[in-house]
Amino acid sequence: MPEPEFVDTHDSFTVTLRKHPTERQDSASAGGADLVAFCSVPRSRIEIAQFLGLESVPYASRVYIAPAVREGVLRMTLPDKPRSSKQRYVAAR
């Protein structure tokens, strides 16, 4: 998490807390450089979230998996059914 920003003016004091870094990281390295290696065999969204140390599977999907698929780092095993419970993600070769 980025450091908070403090702004002290003559008549006010503001603190800004950010949830995410201001600079976007590459999705494969954002969750750890081993994400692509981890997905050398097909993995479910739940497995990927657990690997990244996240409790929220939707968050892992939105922040890490979907961008990796868009960038071509990961590919879906069932591209015609992106929301399927049987969907797996594998490293693009």
Side-chain angles (χ1 to χ4, degrees):
M1 208 165 154
E3 292 294 321
E5 296 174 17
F6 299 95
V7 177
D8 186 13
T9 61
H10 177 63
D11 59 346
S12 68
F13 182 78
T14 306
V15 178
T16 304
L17 303 173
R18 301 198 187 279
K19 287 171 59 174
H20 303 288
T22 54
E23 294 180 20
R24 186 166 185 269
Q25 297 176 346
D26 179 80
S27 62
S29 63
D34 297 327
L35 179 59
V36 175
F38 178 72
C39 291
S40 62
V41 296
R43 303 290 183 165
S44 69
R45 287 182 283 269
I46 295 171
E47 291 173 315
I48 293 172
Q50 289 173 344
F51 172 75
L52 295 171
L54 301 171
E55 293 180 18
S56 173
V57 175
Y59 178 82
S61 295
R62 185 177 66 250
V63 174
Y64 296 101
I65 299 170
V69 170
R70 279 194 304 273
E71 293 168 9
V73 176
L74 297 178
R75 65 177 178 81
M76 293 184 273
T77 57
L78 302 170
D80 296 338
K81 300 178 183 180
R83 298 181 59 118
S84 171
S85 62
K86 299 186 184 334
Q87 183 65 260
R88 300 292 182 263
Y89 299 88
V90 67
R93 297 175 199 247

